[in-house]
Amino acid sequence: AIDCALFDVDLVRVSPSMPWASDTRGRSLHIITVTEGSAELTCGDERVQVGKFETALVAGSAGEYQVSAIDKRVGLLRATVPA
C-alpha cells in the first residue's frame, strides 16, 4: 500500500474463487484501476465490466461494492482519500 496525507493506494488480487468486497462507508469515492485481467464491479443492481488499464469510479455514497474476476487472475489498484 501507498499512504500519504492526500490519498491511499492498495494493490488487490482477485480470482474467480475469491471476489473482493469493499465499502465507501459514505465518505469518499474509490477509484478502481485494473492492472491485470478483466473484472466485474457490482454495486447494488449496477454491474460494469472493467478491462486491463481501465478505471471505474465508485461514488462515496455507493456504500458496499464487490469486484469479481472475469479472468483467472485480476490485479487492481484502489485509490481512496484517507479518513
Side-chain angles (χ1 to χ4, degrees):
I2 299 171
D3 297 318
C4 74
L6 302 176
F7 61 90
D8 294 333
V9 177
D10 299 302
L11 174 62
V12 178
R13 299 281 183 200
V14 181
S15 69
S17 63
M18 291 187 55
W20 174 71
S22 190
D23 191 343
T24 65
R25 294 186 175 93
R27 294 185 185 149
S28 70
L29 81 148
H30 288 192
I31 302 169
I32 308 295
T33 301
V34 176
T35 58
E36 178 182 359
S38 296
E40 181 177 75
L41 193 150
T42 305
C43 183
D45 294 336
E46 294 186 55
R47 296 177 182 272
V48 63
Q49 288 189 1
V50 187
K52 186 175 182 179
F53 302 133
E54 293 182 334
T55 299
L57 303 178
V58 180
S61 61
E64 295 179 358
Y65 64 94
Q66 180 172 306
V67 178
S68 302
I70 294 173
D71 295 329
K72 288 183 180 182
R73 289 185 57 183
V74 176
L76 58 93
L77 297 174
R78 177 187 64 172
T80 60
V81 176

